[in-house]
């Protein structure tokens, strides 16, 4: 079955330290991969996406993500965390192989950046 | 450009009632999708509409239905409400023009409608 896993419910990191939010997926074809962020009482905002090409994609607010085909992972990273990065992060895939192109979201990872 | 607008922001309903949620997409966006967000389940896909046609459907019971109008605005209806339907319902629009590369267009989300069923 198609699925997206975010193994950590919460990630704590000190301000100024690098952060990583993990995402792995299981889909039948070559997916489009996305990261979204949700601030309190708000809808989700698009951060970045991977379509094809360079495995390292850069997005909004200094975030980047690394696509690893062999490990079917798409981890979100940032070199230096800010307190304002504290939010709920969702990984999502859109499966091209199945023909349905359904969006599949992970369960979310709460990032807490400590001052 | 105005963002995705969802109304109402909050709803309180009683078990057994029905409810209709509304979503106005970003101007020019023809694809609208709906999601249910709960603390334990994350985001669950409900359905997606494009040009008034349902293009995809998630694994929800038939009590959940939707439609899209010719101006791309969309409504979602839940009948015979259950306590477990309490959630944040999010609508998203995208600049999908059809098949192929349009599927990598990012979603633009509204702030959601928080439904509480008592």
């Amino acid at each position: 079955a198609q699925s997206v896993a975010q193994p950590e419910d919460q990630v704590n990191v000190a301000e100024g330290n690098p952060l990583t939010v993990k995402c792995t997926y299981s889909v039948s074809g070559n997916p489009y991969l996305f990261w979204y962020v949700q601030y309190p009482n708000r809808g989700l905002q698009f951060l970045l996406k991977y379509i094809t090409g360079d495995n390292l994609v850069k997005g909004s607010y200094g975030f980047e993500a690394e696509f690893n085909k062999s490990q079917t992972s798409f981890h979100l990273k940032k070199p230096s965390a800010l307190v304002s990065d504290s939010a709920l992060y969702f990984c999502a895939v859109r499966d091209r192989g199945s023909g349905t192109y359904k969006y599949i979201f992970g369960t979310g990872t709460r990032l807490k950046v400590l001052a | 450009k105005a963002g995705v607008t969802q109304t109402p922001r909050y709803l309180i309903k009683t078990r057994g009632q029905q409810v209709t949620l509304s979503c106005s997409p970003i101007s020019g966006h023809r694809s609208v999708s709906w999601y249910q967000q709960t603390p334990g389940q994350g985001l669950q896909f409900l359905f997606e509409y494009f040009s008034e046609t349902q293009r995809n459907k998630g694994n929800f019971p038939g009590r959940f239905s939707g439609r899209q109008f010719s101006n791309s605005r969309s409504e979602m209806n839940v009948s015979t409400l259950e306590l477990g339907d309490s959630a944040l319902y999010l609508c998203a629009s995208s600049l999908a023009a059809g098949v192929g590369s349009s599927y990598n267009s990012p979603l633009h989300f509204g702030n959601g409608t928080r439904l509480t069923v008592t």
Side-chain angles (χ1 to χ4, degrees):
Chain A
Q2 301 157 333
S3 64
V4 175
Q6 292 182 243
E8 301 152 319
D9 289 336
Q10 180 158 323
V11 170
N12 295 327
V13 63
E15 188 175 30
N17 282 3
L19 69 87
T20 298
V21 182
K22 296 179 181 177
C23 172
T24 59
Y25 61 90
S26 175
V27 297
S28 56
N30 295 319
Y32 295 125
L33 300 162
F34 302 81
W35 276 100
Y36 291 85
V37 59
Q38 186 177 36
Y39 298 102
N41 301 314
R42 299 286 301 276
L44 278 73
Q45 297 177 29
F46 167 73
L47 271 181
L48 49 78
K49 67 180 178 182
Y50 173 82
I51 304 170
T52 186
D54 193 353
N55 290 343
L56 186 66
V57 294
K58 296 188 183 297
S60 307
Y61 312 120
F63 283 93
E64 56 190 28
E66 186 169 13
F67 170 65
N68 187 315
K69 187 174 182 177
S70 63
Q71 296 185 4
T72 60
S73 67
F74 189 55
H75 300 331
L76 181 70
K77 301 181 179 185
K78 187 172 182 181
S80 179
L82 299 172
V83 172
S84 57
D85 293 330
S86 298
L88 186 57
Y89 290 81
F90 288 92
C91 178
V93 303
R94 199 154 197 185
D95 182 13
R96 293 187 275 176
S98 67
T100 64
Y101 293 93
K102 283 185 184 179
Y103 253 101
I104 306 167
F105 280 84
T107 51
T109 298
R110 189 165 298 282
L111 173 66
K112 192 169 185 179
V113 181
L114 308 169
Chain B
K1 192 181 248 188
V4 177
T5 304
Q6 289 189 247
T7 56
R9 286 297 309 274
Y10 302 93
L11 268 177
I12 300 176
K13 291 286 188 178
T14 303
R15 193 170 43 184
Q17 288 185 314
Q18 68 94 26
V19 67
T20 299
L21 313 181
S22 180
C23 173
S24 294
I26 291 173
S27 178
H29 286 193
R30 295 168 64 192
S31 173
V32 173
S33 51
W34 289 87
Y35 302 84
Q36 181 193 66
Q37 184 178 7
T38 56
Q41 299 293 319
L43 260 73
Q44 301 289 311
F45 169 74
L46 282 154
F47 23 67
E48 178 185 12
Y49 288 88
F50 177 74
S51 292
E52 302 179 66
T53 301
Q54 188 178 86
R55 190 157 63 173
N56 273 312
K57 191 177 189 305
N59 298 321
F60 278 81
R63 300 185 296 107
F64 292 81
S65 63
R67 58 178 176 169
Q68 186 181 34
F69 302 95
S70 58
N71 60 0
S72 294
R73 191 177 70 83
S74 178
E75 286 183 350
M76 190 191 94
N77 185 276
V78 188
S79 63
T80 321
L81 284 166
E82 300 178 358
L83 296 178
D85 297 333
S86 294
L88 179 66
Y89 290 87
L90 292 167
C91 166
S93 70
S94 69
L95 197 61
V99 297
S101 61
S102 63
Y103 287 103
N104 63 49
S105 298
L107 299 175
H108 298 263
F109 286 84
N111 287 336
T113 294
R114 184 163 298 279
L115 172 65
T116 302
V117 182
T118 62

